[in-house]
Amino acid sequence: MMKIYLNGEFMPLEEARVPVLDRGFLFGDGVYEVIPVYGGHPFRLIQHLDRLERSLRETRIPLEYSLDDWMAIFQPLIDSCESKDCGIYLQVTRGVAIRDHAFPKAVEPTVFAMINPIKPVPAKVLENGVHAIAREDIRWSRCDIKSISLIGNVLMRQEAVESDAAETILIRDGMVTEGSASNVFIVKSSEVITPPKDEHLLGGITRDLVLELCVTHGLAVREAPIREQMLRAADEVWVTSSTKEILPVTVLDGQLVGEGKPGPVWHTLVELYGRCKQALRQGEQAC
């Protein structure tokens, strides 16, 4: 039976209840994080918690937890996960109050966390890559906040599902922003390019690690705007996230990307990323 954490208590998932006046339910007034765990060790935990603190600060949700406070929540969940690789889902809402758009006074934030196994990427995907579609970015203007208000992302993800694709790559004013639940990279003439961080995309933890790995291992890389034409003319396209890791896109809107198979730069990055995961599983200093 799966156990979760909710407002100071660990309990079976089936027993968890949130009041209907919780602002997360009423307004989507909250933020979240997804933290991979490999071999019982959280992956880039400090970076994930730093991003959570930024989201809390930008949404003005008052919550101050130390690293020890978070680990007191995470460790029992990690210990309960039967898989060697799991993902912690953490959500904080502004709390419970009478419905009013204005911030309520003197309410406690709702803190919820659960853990689930991470499904390994199928070998077929690693061999052949995935299909993606490109669509206009219809979301709000503060996508740098990891908000639970995800209806725009949900609609874009559903378009991918209905197109038998793995992801929707979003275009705003002719420029690539990100995927519906991922960051986007392209490779052109062996150079790795990803859009720079701004208010139109979420700075992914996996995204940042890929950039670091490129620099450390001498791969040509830069953060720069990606025009839609550049996306469609790329030699390689990848999408990255904590759960997808680094997925090669080999078909975009029905057209082959490059040679229509995962490219050599992707193979290099996947190997480097895998080394980071393996080091963490063995309790060693990871990337």
Side-chain angles (χ1 to χ4, degrees):
M1 180 180 295
M2 178 181 172
K3 287 192 174 183
I4 61 94
Y5 172 90
L6 180 62
N7 291 338
E9 297 183 44
F10 294 93
M11 64 188 73
L13 175 63
E14 293 76 10
E15 296 179 11
R17 300 290 184 271
V18 177
V20 295
L21 290 181
D22 190 285
R23 288 176 63 93
F25 177 71
L26 293 175
F27 295 111
D29 186 1
V31 299
Y32 74 104
E33 275 294 327
V34 179
I35 306 171
V37 177
Y38 298 117
H41 304 283
F43 192 59
R44 303 211 120 194
L45 177 61
I46 300 304
Q47 290 89 336
H48 280 281
L49 292 179
D50 284 347
R51 186 173 64 178
L52 174 68
E53 289 183 7
R54 181 184 184 280
S55 293
L56 290 168
R57 184 171 62 251
E58 291 297 311
T59 53
R60 296 163 62 186
I61 295 176
L63 185 74
E64 295 185 9
Y65 277 21
S66 67
L67 177 59
D68 289 342
D69 292 332
W70 287 121
M71 284 307 299
I73 295 171
F74 297 157
Q75 195 61 58
L77 297 177
I78 292 170
D79 294 341
S80 72
C81 188
E82 297 178 358
S83 173
K84 64 179 181 179
D85 294 343
C86 300
I88 297 169
Y89 177 83
L90 168 64
Q91 178 171 303
V92 181
T93 76
R94 199 173 304 276
V96 179
I98 296 298
R99 189 181 187 280
D100 186 344
H101 285 69
F103 294 169
K105 296 181 179 180
V107 296
E108 289 293 323
T110 297
V111 180
F112 163 67
M114 64 179 176
I115 195 164
N116 287 296
I118 294 177
K119 296 179 181 178
V121 178
K124 183 178 180 181
V125 170
L126 297 178
E127 180 180 353
N128 300 319
V130 299
H131 293 210
I133 59 175
R135 296 290 186 270
E136 187 67 23
D137 192 343
I138 63 171
R139 304 167 304 158
W140 73 320
S141 297
R142 287 304 308 275
C143 297
D144 56 313
I145 297 171
K146 200 167 177 67
S147 166
I148 63 173
S149 303
L150 291 171
I151 189 61
N153 303 69
V154 168
L155 293 172
M156 294 295 94
R157 173 76 174 114
Q158 186 60 28
E159 283 210 40
V161 169
E162 292 171 357
S163 299
D164 197 26
E167 180 61 302
T168 301
I169 294 175
L170 305 177
I171 311 292
R172 188 187 294 257
D173 298 327
M175 309 299 290
V176 174
T177 53
E178 57 186 344
S180 66
S182 62
N183 290 118
V184 177
F185 287 79
I186 69 168
V187 178
K188 189 64 177 179
S189 301
S190 299
E191 183 182 40
V192 179
I193 309 171
T194 194
K197 293 179 184 179
D198 64 17
E199 68 276 13
H200 296 311
L201 64 88
L202 181 71
I205 306 303
T206 301
R207 169 197 180 276
D208 291 350
L209 177 54
V210 168
L211 291 174
E212 292 172 23
L213 290 172
C214 287
V215 171
T216 300
H217 294 275
L219 299 175
V221 62
R222 62 188 169 107
E223 297 177 80
I226 298 175
R227 298 187 304 276
E228 182 176 356
Q229 300 95 311
M230 294 171 61
L231 173 72
R232 297 190 184 279
D235 300 326
E236 301 181 33
V237 175
W238 320 327
V239 292
T240 65
S241 73
S242 291
T243 52
K244 293 183 177 71
E245 298 181 353
I246 312 171
L247 280 185
V249 174
T250 51
V251 178
L252 178 63
D253 286 330
Q255 302 297 312
L256 295 182
V257 174
E259 297 182 359
K261 60 183 181 181
V265 184
W266 175 82
H267 280 285
T268 298
L269 263 300
V270 166
E271 180 182 353
L272 295 173
Y273 192 87
R275 292 180 194 172
C276 293
K277 291 166 53 180
Q278 189 57 31
L280 192 63
R281 289 191 186 105
Q282 295 172 353
E284 300 173 359
Q285 181 67 38
C287 300

